[in-house]
Amino acid sequence: MNKTLKTIGAPSMEELRCSAAFPEKKDYQRGPIAIIECTEEIPCNPCETVCPKGAIKVGDPITNLPTIDFDLCSGCGICAAKCPGLAIYILDVNYTENEALIMFPFEYLPFPERGETVSLVNRLGDTVCPGRVESVLSSKSYDHTTLISVAFPKQYYEDVVSMKKLG
Amino acid sequence: MKKYEVVVVGAGPAGLSAAIECARAGAKVLVADENNKPGGQLFKQIHKFFGSKEHKAGVRGIYIGEQLLKETENLSIEVWLGSEVCGIDADKSVWIIKNKEESCCVKAERIIIASGATENSIAFEGWTLPGVMGAGAAQTMMNCYRVLPGKRVLMIGSGNVGVIVSYQLLQAGAEVVGIVEAASALGGYGVHTAKVRRAGVPFYTGYTVKRGIGEKYIEAAEIVKLDSDWKHIPGSEKILTADTICLAVGLTPLIELAWLAGCRFTYSAKLGGHIPVHNKYMETTVKGIYIAGDVSGIEEASTAMEEGRLAGISAAWSLGYYDDQEAEILIEEEWRKLNLLRCGQFGVNRKVSKDEILNKWEEMRNE
């Protein structure tokens, strides 16, 4: 369990698919959903307490891995902004006919601008494809974690998790 | 001689939490800290903390520090900064070099030692060259003084300190050329390792640093793979260009004052070294002397704050500010919160080690 995570630093797709919160193929078709990449039992539950829909459950003890009810998740992104581990992003695989949209937490300056083309990366930090920035969301309640939405070719929806830092 | 009901040594998360609990209960408290600013390490913790709401999860460490300082101020707690505590006598006289210039002695009825920890180091060829530093030192330079310690940094150690400081180096604009981990598995939380990995930082698992290379300062580092006996594997060396080597190889509790005070000790490798034996009220083997935070075993700021509260409540109780029933309720509540932070695959080992220390206290009491 978590062998790849504990040797190269990032989880493999197999490790992610073993975790309860990771979506199955059909879940991606519901519109934007929260993808939680949290596969280790650490004492942490802000995702549960901030979810306005009650979709995410951690329960007691707080080291339980989170689970998510995709029937309730609206992909609002509050959990993505609040997760102290920056381990959640929002994915809408059917953003347009050919594009998916990812909204991920980002804490590196400078921020990209809307419309800018950025390099999207996989879990190892390798460039996967270019993407078009659709929005850059900051809010006082996000406390300096910014949510960046980027549209990209949908065939890469399982690989893309973030963008290359600028500057 | 000035008299206080409680003297707290250290104004970090544990010490301030302890002082707040004592003052809230009604006790007259003095907090002394050798640093010029209170807050201990909290003001360089710019990341969001884990835990649950009651542990201030999701709040950045700097803001938790600000909240503690505000409570300290609201309770009019006396805080001496730049004031090193250098001795504790058997009659609970506390020797302090106040403001780095005046040697003075205050009398305490209870003492809470929350002296924290110091960074470990490892020796290798070239380790005295400028550019080799503790990860905590790099973090202080960046986050407290806005100085980038280097442009290309190699991190030694993949525990939470190593990965968090690596992330903060990236945020500050440095490049992290790699994170080296001697063990066969990475030490820090997976969410932290994943965060730096997707930023392109490679992990060298099963490697150690062999030497720092440079004439007058670090210009590169040589790392080498280790076999199952932790021996260098010849031919596996790699040279990485770097101007800084950060060491994140653990912490050791700062126990000198507890030694001076006559506390008895036990050794716990998992908790960072020699630990003053204490009971569930955080009282050491010397009656009236309590400990809290990293000095009682290396953990995190979240646990340090809960332990501080526990020590503060216990000290206030022993001074008569709570009756037994009130104290038991408050103490049980602190233990509930502590236990939440000490479960799961990372916490359970700390829980076991902490329990061993409590058992040791019982053993020593019965001797």
Side-chain angles (χ1 to χ4, degrees), chain B residues 41-179:
Chain B
Q41 309 304 307
L42 276 175
F43 286 96
K44 56 190 204 186
Q45 310 302 334
I46 60 169
H47 56 280
K48 293 177 178 172
F49 277 32
F50 295 105
S52 67
K53 222 172 193 165
E54 57 196 3
H55 306 109
K56 304 193 193 298
V59 181
R60 296 183 190 276
I62 36 172
Y63 302 131
I64 297 175
E66 282 172 9
Q67 287 171 14
L68 286 178
L69 291 190
K70 209 169 165 195
E71 280 179 77
T72 306
E73 205 181 305
N74 290 345
L75 290 160
S76 307
I77 295 170
E78 199 173 337
V79 182
W80 290 2
L81 297 171
S83 299
E84 185 186 353
V85 176
C86 52
I88 295 174
D89 288 344
D91 66 349
K92 296 195 179 61
S93 305
V94 181
W95 292 87
I96 304 175
I97 303 170
K98 194 179 177 184
N99 295 326
K100 295 193 167 78
E101 49 190 26
E102 179 198 346
S103 175
C104 68
C105 183
V106 301
K107 183 82 182 67
E109 290 179 46
R110 304 287 182 272
I111 298 170
I112 300 173
I113 302 174
S115 44
T118 184
E119 288 197 276
N120 294 344
S121 190
I122 48 169
F124 51 90
E125 188 185 328
W127 77 306
T128 55
L129 284 168
V132 180
M133 67 183 77
Q139 198 184 28
T140 304
M141 287 172 74
M142 281 191 294
N143 299 349
C144 298
Y145 300 104
R146 308 275 172 143
V147 173
L148 195 62
K151 289 191 174 124
R152 288 176 57 89
V153 183
L154 178 68
M155 182 66 65
I156 312 298
S158 73
N160 278 336
V161 172
V163 283
I164 289 171
V165 174
S166 293
Y167 180 62
Q168 293 174 358
L169 281 159
L170 294 170
Q171 287 181 300
E175 188 186 341
V176 178
V177 300
I179 300 177

Side-chain angles (χ1 to χ4, degrees), chain B residues 9 30 46 62 103-104 110 113 122 140 180 197-198 203-205 215 220 233 241 243 252 261 292 303 325 327 342 358:
Chain B
V9 183
L30 169 69
I46 60 169
I62 36 172
S103 175
C104 68
R110 304 287 182 272
I113 302 174
I122 48 169
T140 304
V180 173
R197 181 73 223 214
R198 67 177 173 262
F203 283 92
Y204 294 94
T205 310
E215 279 282 313
I233 300 175
T241 307
D243 56 20
T252 299
T303 43
Q325 202 185 353
R342 289 179 183 151
L358 300 184

Side-chain angles (χ1 to χ4, degrees), chain A residues 2 4-11 37-46 49 60-63 81-87 105-109 121-126 141-145 161-163 165, chain B residues 48-53 55 57-60 63 167 169-174 184-205 300 340-347 350:
Chain A
N2 285 325
T4 311
L5 178 69
K6 299 318 280 184
T7 48
I8 67 163
E37 301 202 352
C38 179
T39 62
E40 279 182 335
E41 295 169 341
I42 58 175
C44 193
N45 69 359
T49 49
D60 184 28
I62 57 169
T63 44
K82 294 285 191 168
C83 168
L86 271 62
F106 200 69
E107 295 184 333
Y108 300 109
L109 292 170
V121 296
N122 63 16
R123 293 173 184 82
L124 302 180
D126 302 325
S141 74
Y142 295 175
D143 187 12
H144 298 91
T145 304
V161 290
S162 190
M163 61 174 266
K165 119 180 145 88
Chain B
K48 293 177 178 172
F49 277 32
F50 295 105
S52 67
K53 222 172 193 165
H55 306 109
V59 181
R60 296 183 190 276
Y63 302 131
Y167 180 62
L169 281 159
L170 294 170
Q171 287 181 300
S184 58
L186 303 176
Y189 288 172
V191 288
H192 286 314
T193 61
K195 205 162 61 177
V196 292
R197 181 73 223 214
R198 67 177 173 262
V201 177
F203 283 92
Y204 294 94
T205 310
E300 293 153 351
L340 282 175
L341 296 171
R342 289 179 183 151
C343 60
Q345 65 196 86
F346 289 89
R350 285 187 278 119

